[in-house]
Short mmCIF file of all heavy atoms in Angstrom, two decimals:
data_model
loop_
_atom_site.label_atom_id
_atom_site.label_comp_id
_atom_site.label_asym_id
_atom_site.label_seq_id
_atom_site.Cartn_x
_atom_site.Cartn_y
_atom_site.Cartn_z
N ASP X 137 54.07 12.97 -103.90
CA ASP X 137 54.26 11.55 -103.60
C ASP X 137 54.28 11.24 -102.11
O ASP X 137 54.49 10.08 -101.71
CB ASP X 137 55.56 11.06 -104.25
CG ASP X 137 55.52 11.15 -105.77
OD1 ASP X 137 54.45 10.84 -106.33
OD2 ASP X 137 56.53 11.55 -106.37
N LYS X 138 54.04 12.24 -101.28
CA LYS X 138 54.02 12.01 -99.84
C LYS X 138 52.67 11.44 -99.42
O LYS X 138 51.64 11.67 -100.08
CB LYS X 138 54.28 13.31 -99.08
CG LYS X 138 55.69 13.84 -99.25
CD LYS X 138 55.89 15.10 -98.42
CE LYS X 138 57.32 15.63 -98.56
NZ LYS X 138 57.52 16.88 -97.77
N LEU X 139 52.65 10.73 -98.30
CA LEU X 139 51.41 10.27 -97.69
C LEU X 139 50.89 11.35 -96.74
O LEU X 139 51.68 12.16 -96.22
CB LEU X 139 51.63 8.96 -96.94
CG LEU X 139 52.02 7.74 -97.78
CD1 LEU X 139 52.37 6.57 -96.87
CD2 LEU X 139 50.90 7.37 -98.74
N PRO X 140 49.60 11.38 -96.47
CA PRO X 140 49.06 12.39 -95.55
C PRO X 140 49.76 12.42 -94.20
O PRO X 140 49.96 13.49 -93.62
CB PRO X 140 47.59 11.98 -95.42
CG PRO X 140 47.27 11.32 -96.72
CD PRO X 140 48.53 10.59 -97.10
N GLY X 141 50.16 11.24 -93.68
CA GLY X 141 50.81 11.18 -92.38
C GLY X 141 52.17 11.85 -92.36
O GLY X 141 52.72 12.11 -91.27
N GLN X 142 52.73 12.15 -93.53
CA GLN X 142 54.03 12.81 -93.60
C GLN X 142 53.89 14.33 -93.69
O GLN X 142 54.88 15.03 -93.81
CB GLN X 142 54.80 12.29 -94.82
CG GLN X 142 55.14 10.81 -94.75
CD GLN X 142 55.77 10.32 -96.04
OE1 GLN X 142 55.15 10.29 -97.10
NE2 GLN X 142 57.03 9.92 -95.95
N LEU X 143 52.65 14.82 -93.66
CA LEU X 143 52.39 16.25 -93.81
C LEU X 143 51.94 16.86 -92.49
O LEU X 143 51.42 16.18 -91.60
CB LEU X 143 51.29 16.47 -94.86
CG LEU X 143 51.53 15.89 -96.25
CD1 LEU X 143 50.30 16.14 -97.12
CD2 LEU X 143 52.77 16.50 -96.89
N SER X 144 52.15 18.16 -92.37
CA SER X 144 51.63 18.90 -91.21
C SER X 144 50.12 19.05 -91.33
O SER X 144 49.52 18.79 -92.39
CB SER X 144 52.28 20.27 -91.12
OG SER X 144 51.86 21.09 -92.22
N GLY X 145 49.49 19.51 -90.23
CA GLY X 145 48.04 19.71 -90.27
C GLY X 145 47.64 20.72 -91.33
O GLY X 145 46.64 20.53 -92.05
N GLY X 146 48.40 21.80 -91.45
CA GLY X 146 48.08 22.80 -92.47
C GLY X 146 48.23 22.27 -93.88
O GLY X 146 47.43 22.57 -94.76
N GLN X 147 49.25 21.43 -94.10
CA GLN X 147 49.44 20.83 -95.42
C GLN X 147 48.32 19.84 -95.73
O GLN X 147 47.84 19.77 -96.88
CB GLN X 147 50.80 20.15 -95.48
CG GLN X 147 51.97 21.12 -95.51
CD GLN X 147 53.31 20.42 -95.39
OE1 GLN X 147 53.44 19.39 -94.70
NE2 GLN X 147 54.33 20.95 -96.05
N GLN X 148 47.90 19.07 -94.74
CA GLN X 148 46.78 18.14 -94.96
C GLN X 148 45.51 18.90 -95.34
O GLN X 148 44.75 18.45 -96.20
CB GLN X 148 46.55 17.30 -93.71
CG GLN X 148 47.64 16.29 -93.42
CD GLN X 148 47.34 15.43 -92.21
OE1 GLN X 148 46.22 14.96 -92.03
NE2 GLN X 148 48.32 15.23 -91.35
N GLN X 149 45.30 20.03 -94.69
CA GLN X 149 44.12 20.81 -95.03
C GLN X 149 44.21 21.35 -96.46
O GLN X 149 43.21 21.43 -97.17
CB GLN X 149 43.94 21.96 -94.03
CG GLN X 149 42.60 22.67 -94.13
CD GLN X 149 41.42 21.73 -93.96
OE1 GLN X 149 41.03 21.01 -94.90
NE2 GLN X 149 40.85 21.71 -92.78
N ARG X 150 45.40 21.71 -96.89
CA ARG X 150 45.59 22.16 -98.27
C ARG X 150 45.28 21.03 -99.26
O ARG X 150 44.71 21.26 -100.33
CB ARG X 150 47.02 22.65 -98.48
CG ARG X 150 47.33 23.96 -97.78
CD ARG X 150 48.83 24.24 -97.83
NE ARG X 150 49.20 25.36 -97.01
CZ ARG X 150 49.40 26.60 -97.47
NH1 ARG X 150 49.25 26.85 -98.74
NH2 ARG X 150 49.75 27.58 -96.65
N VAL X 151 45.67 19.80 -98.91
CA VAL X 151 45.34 18.66 -99.76
C VAL X 151 43.82 18.50 -99.86
O VAL X 151 43.28 18.26 -100.94
CB VAL X 151 45.98 17.36 -99.22
CG1 VAL X 151 45.54 16.16 -100.07
CG2 VAL X 151 47.49 17.47 -99.23
N ALA X 152 43.15 18.63 -98.72
CA ALA X 152 41.68 18.51 -98.73
C ALA X 152 41.05 19.59 -99.60
O ALA X 152 40.06 19.33 -100.31
CB ALA X 152 41.15 18.61 -97.29
N ILE X 153 41.58 20.80 -99.56
CA ILE X 153 41.06 21.88 -100.40
C ILE X 153 41.34 21.59 -101.87
O ILE X 153 40.46 21.77 -102.73
CB ILE X 153 41.67 23.22 -99.98
CG1 ILE X 153 41.18 23.61 -98.57
CG2 ILE X 153 41.30 24.32 -100.97
CD1 ILE X 153 41.87 24.83 -97.99
N ALA X 154 42.56 21.12 -102.17
CA ALA X 154 42.89 20.78 -103.56
C ALA X 154 41.96 19.70 -104.10
O ALA X 154 41.52 19.75 -105.26
CB ALA X 154 44.35 20.32 -103.65
N ARG X 155 41.65 18.69 -103.27
CA ARG X 155 40.74 17.62 -103.70
C ARG X 155 39.35 18.17 -104.00
O ARG X 155 38.66 17.69 -104.90
CB ARG X 155 40.68 16.55 -102.62
CG ARG X 155 39.84 15.34 -103.01
CD ARG X 155 39.83 14.29 -101.92
NE ARG X 155 39.30 14.83 -100.67
CZ ARG X 155 39.30 14.16 -99.52
NH1 ARG X 155 39.82 12.94 -99.47
NH2 ARG X 155 38.81 14.70 -98.43
N ALA X 156 38.93 19.19 -103.22
CA ALA X 156 37.60 19.76 -103.43
C ALA X 156 37.54 20.61 -104.69
O ALA X 156 36.52 20.62 -105.39
CB ALA X 156 37.20 20.59 -102.21
N ILE X 157 38.61 21.33 -105.00
CA ILE X 157 38.56 22.27 -106.13
C ILE X 157 38.95 21.63 -107.46
O ILE X 157 38.61 22.17 -108.52
CB ILE X 157 39.44 23.50 -105.87
CG1 ILE X 157 40.92 23.11 -105.78
CG2 ILE X 157 39.00 24.22 -104.60
CD1 ILE X 157 41.86 24.29 -105.57
N VAL X 158 39.65 20.46 -107.42
CA VAL X 158 40.15 19.88 -108.66
C VAL X 158 39.01 19.44 -109.57
O VAL X 158 39.17 19.38 -110.79
CB VAL X 158 41.10 18.70 -108.35
CG1 VAL X 158 40.31 17.46 -107.90
CG2 VAL X 158 41.99 18.38 -109.54
N ILE X 159 37.85 19.14 -109.01
CA ILE X 159 36.72 18.71 -109.83
C ILE X 159 36.00 19.90 -110.45
O ILE X 159 35.00 19.73 -111.16
CB ILE X 159 35.71 17.87 -109.00
CG1 ILE X 159 35.13 18.70 -107.86
CG2 ILE X 159 36.36 16.59 -108.49
CD1 ILE X 159 34.01 18.00 -107.08
N GLU X 160 36.51 21.12 -110.19
CA GLU X 160 35.95 22.36 -110.73
C GLU X 160 34.46 22.48 -110.40
O GLU X 160 33.61 22.59 -111.29
CB GLU X 160 36.19 22.44 -112.24
CG GLU X 160 37.67 22.43 -112.59
CD GLU X 160 37.94 22.48 -114.09
OE1 GLU X 160 36.95 22.42 -114.86
OE2 GLU X 160 39.11 22.56 -114.48
N PRO X 161 34.14 22.48 -109.12
CA PRO X 161 32.73 22.51 -108.70
C PRO X 161 32.14 23.91 -108.82
O PRO X 161 32.86 24.91 -108.74
CB PRO X 161 32.81 22.08 -107.23
CG PRO X 161 34.12 22.63 -106.78
CD PRO X 161 35.05 22.48 -107.96
N PRO X 162 30.84 24.01 -108.98
CA PRO X 162 30.19 25.33 -108.97
C PRO X 162 30.17 25.94 -107.58
O PRO X 162 30.09 27.16 -107.43
CB PRO X 162 28.77 25.04 -109.47
CG PRO X 162 28.54 23.61 -109.10
CD PRO X 162 29.87 22.93 -109.24
N LEU X 163 30.24 25.10 -106.54
CA LEU X 163 30.16 25.57 -105.16
C LEU X 163 31.10 24.73 -104.30
O LEU X 163 31.12 23.51 -104.42
CB LEU X 163 28.72 25.45 -104.64
CG LEU X 163 28.46 25.85 -103.18
CD1 LEU X 163 28.65 27.35 -102.98
CD2 LEU X 163 27.04 25.44 -102.77
N ILE X 164 31.87 25.40 -103.44
CA ILE X 164 32.76 24.71 -102.51
C ILE X 164 32.18 24.84 -101.11
O ILE X 164 31.86 25.95 -100.65
CB ILE X 164 34.18 25.31 -102.55
CG1 ILE X 164 34.76 25.18 -103.95
CG2 ILE X 164 35.08 24.62 -101.53
CD1 ILE X 164 36.05 25.94 -104.14
N LEU X 165 32.01 23.71 -100.43
CA LEU X 165 31.43 23.67 -99.09
C LEU X 165 32.54 23.35 -98.09
O LEU X 165 33.26 22.37 -98.25
CB LEU X 165 30.34 22.60 -99.02
CG LEU X 165 29.23 22.70 -100.08
CD1 LEU X 165 28.32 21.48 -99.99
CD2 LEU X 165 28.43 23.98 -99.91
N MET X 166 32.66 24.19 -97.06
CA MET X 166 33.70 23.99 -96.05
C MET X 166 33.06 23.94 -94.67
O MET X 166 32.41 24.89 -94.26
CB MET X 166 34.72 25.13 -96.11
CG MET X 166 35.52 25.19 -97.39
SD MET X 166 36.89 26.37 -97.27
CE MET X 166 37.72 26.09 -98.84
N ASP X 167 33.27 22.82 -93.97
CA ASP X 167 32.67 22.61 -92.66
C ASP X 167 33.74 22.74 -91.56
O ASP X 167 34.46 21.80 -91.28
CB ASP X 167 32.00 21.23 -92.59
CG ASP X 167 31.14 21.07 -91.34
OD1 ASP X 167 31.03 22.03 -90.57
OD2 ASP X 167 30.59 19.97 -91.15
N GLU X 168 33.85 23.92 -90.96
CA GLU X 168 34.82 24.21 -89.90
C GLU X 168 36.20 23.67 -90.25
O GLU X 168 36.81 22.91 -89.48
CB GLU X 168 34.34 23.63 -88.56
CG GLU X 168 32.93 24.08 -88.21
CD GLU X 168 32.80 24.55 -86.78
OE1 GLU X 168 33.79 25.02 -86.20
OE2 GLU X 168 31.68 24.47 -86.26
N PRO X 169 36.76 24.06 -91.40
CA PRO X 169 37.99 23.41 -91.87
C PRO X 169 39.24 23.76 -91.06
O PRO X 169 40.25 23.08 -91.19
CB PRO X 169 38.12 23.95 -93.30
CG PRO X 169 37.44 25.27 -93.27
CD PRO X 169 36.28 25.09 -92.33
N LEU X 170 39.18 24.80 -90.23
CA LEU X 170 40.38 25.23 -89.51
C LEU X 170 40.35 24.89 -88.03
O LEU X 170 41.28 25.22 -87.30
CB LEU X 170 40.58 26.75 -89.68
CG LEU X 170 40.60 27.27 -91.11
CD1 LEU X 170 40.91 28.76 -91.12
CD2 LEU X 170 41.60 26.50 -91.96
N SER X 171 39.31 24.25 -87.56
CA SER X 171 39.13 24.06 -86.12
C SER X 171 40.17 23.13 -85.51
O SER X 171 40.41 23.18 -84.30
CB SER X 171 37.72 23.53 -85.83
OG SER X 171 37.52 22.29 -86.47
#
Side-chain angles (χ1 to χ4, degrees):
D137 297 320
K138 292 182 179 179
L139 295 173
Q142 297 174 295
L143 304 177
S144 67
Q147 289 173 326
Q148 290 183 44
Q149 191 57 281
R150 290 170 189 261
V151 176
I153 293 172
R155 184 179 58 187
I157 65 178
V158 75
I159 62 174
E160 299 179 356
L163 178 68
I164 300 170
L165 307 173
M166 295 190 174
D167 191 3
E168 307 226 27
L170 307 184
S171 60

